[in-house]
């Protein structure tokens, strides 16, 4: 039951209701089971990639260091939203407190921006590796990789803080129905009973963040493709393309859906398309990342094989 608070003759909302989720007897279970399986795969797949990269010395390179960071972030990125979706699908209580909603927004967007920064660092890493291979070992040192990761986290967790702090000061009254699968800026701000024209500034900040990362990554890969096409060896071209293809796929899937959602300014979509776009970068992109970085990556497949082979030998020796 919605908790309400009477303050200054105005009914203030203290929790939100996710109106988009069906009731359990109306098909909620048919969404719950696939989503649970997908979430399990995302967590185990990314955790496996993270562990394999940590324990296999052959993967202790800058590229795989960033992939391990991305996998670690993906686990927490999906955990900010999917468990709440799962509970909303099977529970009659499809609500989230105002504080819980603000926390979900903060961590979801902080981790999302951090991921975007890490993808940018990965593009720079591939650019140096392919366009300036002789200087690569001296430029992409372990110290620089850690600094880039720390900078990505700092950027992600600080950029969203003023926005969340501002939203926390807004009064919410009247309807408390959120027509989205998680707490996001636009659906929540539409429920505020005060002037939210500052949202234009918020949209501008999002646009700068997304476009800056997109531009750096796009320019890096354009230059990389030009260098690869100029390679004399067909085998060298194939190896370079296969290495960059996985990064490009993740980049296009993540930034494509994010750009459609957050670079629209005054353009509005139907609830269906809003939900479909959100599903793409909240569920689909994290689901495909372990597949792209493991099943389509020979080094990762070999490392996973070595890990399981060692585990079998260890178990056999213990008997």
């Amino acid at each position: 039951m919605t908790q309400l608070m009477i303050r200054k003759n105005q009914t203030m909302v203290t929790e939100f209701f996710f109106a988009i989720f069906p009731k359990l007897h109306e098909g909620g279970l048919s969404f719950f089971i696939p989503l649970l399986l997908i979430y399990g795969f995302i967590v185990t797949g990314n955790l496996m990639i993270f562990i394999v990269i940590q324990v296999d010395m052959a993967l202790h390179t800058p590229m795989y260091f960033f992939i391990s960071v991305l996998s670690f972030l993906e686990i927490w990125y999906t955990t900010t939203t999917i468990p709440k979706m799962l509970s909303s699908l099977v529970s009659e209580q499809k609500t989230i407190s105002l504080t819980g909603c603000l926390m979900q927004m903060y961590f979801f967007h902080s981790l999302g921006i951090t991921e975007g920064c890490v993808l940018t660092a990965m593009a720079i890493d591939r650019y140096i590796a392919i366009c300036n291979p002789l200087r690569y070992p001296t430029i992409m040192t372990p110290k620089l990789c850690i600094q880039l990761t720390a900078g990505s986290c700092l950027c992600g967790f600080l950029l969203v803080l003023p926005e969340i702090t501002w939203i926390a000061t807004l009064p919410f009254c009247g309807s408390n129905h959120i027509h989205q699968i998680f707490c996001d800026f636009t659906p929540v701000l539409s429920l505020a009973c005060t002037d939210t024209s500052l949202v234009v500034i918020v949209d501008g900040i999002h646009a700068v963040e997304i476009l800056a990362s997109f531009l750096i990554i796009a320019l890096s890969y354009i230059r990389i493709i030009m260098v690869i096409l100029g390679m004399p060896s067909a085998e060298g071209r194939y190896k370079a393309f296969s290495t960059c293809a996985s990064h490009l796929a993740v980049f296009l899937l993540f930034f494509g859906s994010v750009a459609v959602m957050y670079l629209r300014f005054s353009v509005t979509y139907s609830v269906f398309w809003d939900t479909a776009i959100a599903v793409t970068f909240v569920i689909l992109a994290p689901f495909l990342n372990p597949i792209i970085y493991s099943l389509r990556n020979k080094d990762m497949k070999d490392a996973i094989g070595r890990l399981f082979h060692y585990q079998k030998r260890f178990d056999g020796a213990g008997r």
Side-chain angles (χ1 to χ4, degrees):
M1 186 175 176
T2 303
Q3 298 173 0
L4 299 173
M5 181 173 57
I6 307 300
R7 184 190 296 170
K8 295 181 182 179
N9 298 323
Q10 196 172 36
T11 304
M12 306 301 292
V13 173
T14 60
E15 66 179 19
F16 298 109
F17 179 82
F18 289 110
I20 202 165
F21 294 110
K23 292 180 180 178
L24 186 62
H25 63 274
E26 293 176 352
L29 194 62
S30 62
F31 289 101
F32 174 83
I33 294 171
L35 185 58
L36 181 62
L37 293 173
I38 289 169
Y39 180 58
F41 176 81
I42 290 169
V43 173
T44 54
N46 281 295
L47 190 60
M48 180 181 66
I49 290 171
F50 180 78
I51 292 170
V52 166
I53 292 172
Q54 298 306 310
V55 301
D56 197 303
M57 293 298 294
L59 300 181
H60 286 187
T61 64
M63 183 181 80
Y64 287 105
F65 171 80
F66 288 124
I67 289 175
S68 72
V69 171
L70 192 65
S71 294
F72 181 77
L73 289 170
E74 286 281 31
I75 294 170
W76 298 109
Y77 174 76
T78 51
T79 300
T80 60
T81 55
I82 295 181
K84 185 60 185 175
M85 291 182 209
L86 290 168
S87 69
S88 296
L89 284 167
V90 294
S91 172
E92 291 299 320
Q93 284 290 107
K94 304 180 190 300
T95 56
I96 186 170
S97 67
L98 175 59
T99 303
C101 189
L102 292 170
M103 292 290 284
Q104 187 182 69
M105 277 195 292
Y106 174 69
F107 284 107
F108 176 79
H109 285 281
S110 294
L111 289 163
I113 292 170
T114 304
E115 279 194 27
C117 292
V118 171
L119 286 171
T120 306
M122 289 171 71
I124 294 169
D125 170 71
R126 289 300 82 205
Y127 172 81
I128 298 169
I130 293 172
C131 301
N132 203 347
L134 296 178
R135 294 189 60 199
Y136 179 71
T138 58
I139 296 173
M140 292 304 296
T141 60
K143 182 181 178 181
L144 180 61
C145 292
I146 292 169
Q147 288 173 338
L148 287 171
T149 303
S152 298
C153 293
L154 200 64
C155 179
F157 283 86
L158 287 181
L159 276 175
V160 187
L161 199 55
E163 199 170 337
I164 297 297
T165 305
W166 169 61
I167 294 173
T169 65
L170 299 176
F172 293 92
C173 53
S175 175
N176 69 337
H177 286 211
I178 293 178
H179 296 279
Q180 186 52 281
I181 57 175
F182 68 104
C183 284
D184 203 5
F185 295 124
T186 302
V188 171
L189 285 171
S190 67
L191 302 178
C193 50
T194 187
D195 179 34
T196 57
S197 56
L198 281 174
V199 74
V200 176
I201 298 173
V202 172
D203 287 341
I205 293 169
H206 283 315
V208 171
E209 292 166 3
I210 296 166
L211 289 173
S213 292
F214 183 88
L215 196 61
I216 292 169
I217 296 172
L219 291 174
S220 297
Y221 280 111
I222 288 170
R223 177 60 181 155
I224 286 168
I225 291 168
M226 289 171 65
V227 170
I228 292 172
L229 291 174
M231 289 180 176
S233 166
E235 185 181 347
R237 286 197 300 272
Y238 175 78
K239 187 176 180 181
F241 265 125
S242 62
T243 302
C244 293
S246 59
H247 300 309
L248 270 172
V250 172
F251 158 64
L252 291 172
L253 186 63
F254 180 80
F255 275 97
S257 55
V258 166
V260 171
M261 178 63 88
Y262 297 110
L263 294 183
R264 56 182 172 178
F265 295 99
S266 59
V267 177
T268 57
Y269 303 135
S270 66
V271 172
F272 172 81
W273 284 113
D274 256 346
T275 306
I277 296 163
V279 166
T280 303
F281 65 84
V282 174
I283 301 169
L284 185 61
F287 173 73
L288 292 176
N289 281 0
I291 299 171
I292 293 168
Y293 284 129
S294 58
L295 298 181
R296 290 185 54 82
N297 186 304
K298 186 179 182 300
D299 292 336
M300 276 299 303
K301 284 191 286 188
D302 291 345
I304 292 167
R306 286 193 294 270
L307 179 66
F308 281 104
H309 180 67
Y310 173 79
Q311 188 65 40
K312 285 179 183 177
R313 287 176 59 189
F314 182 78
D315 292 340
R319 290 194 181 95

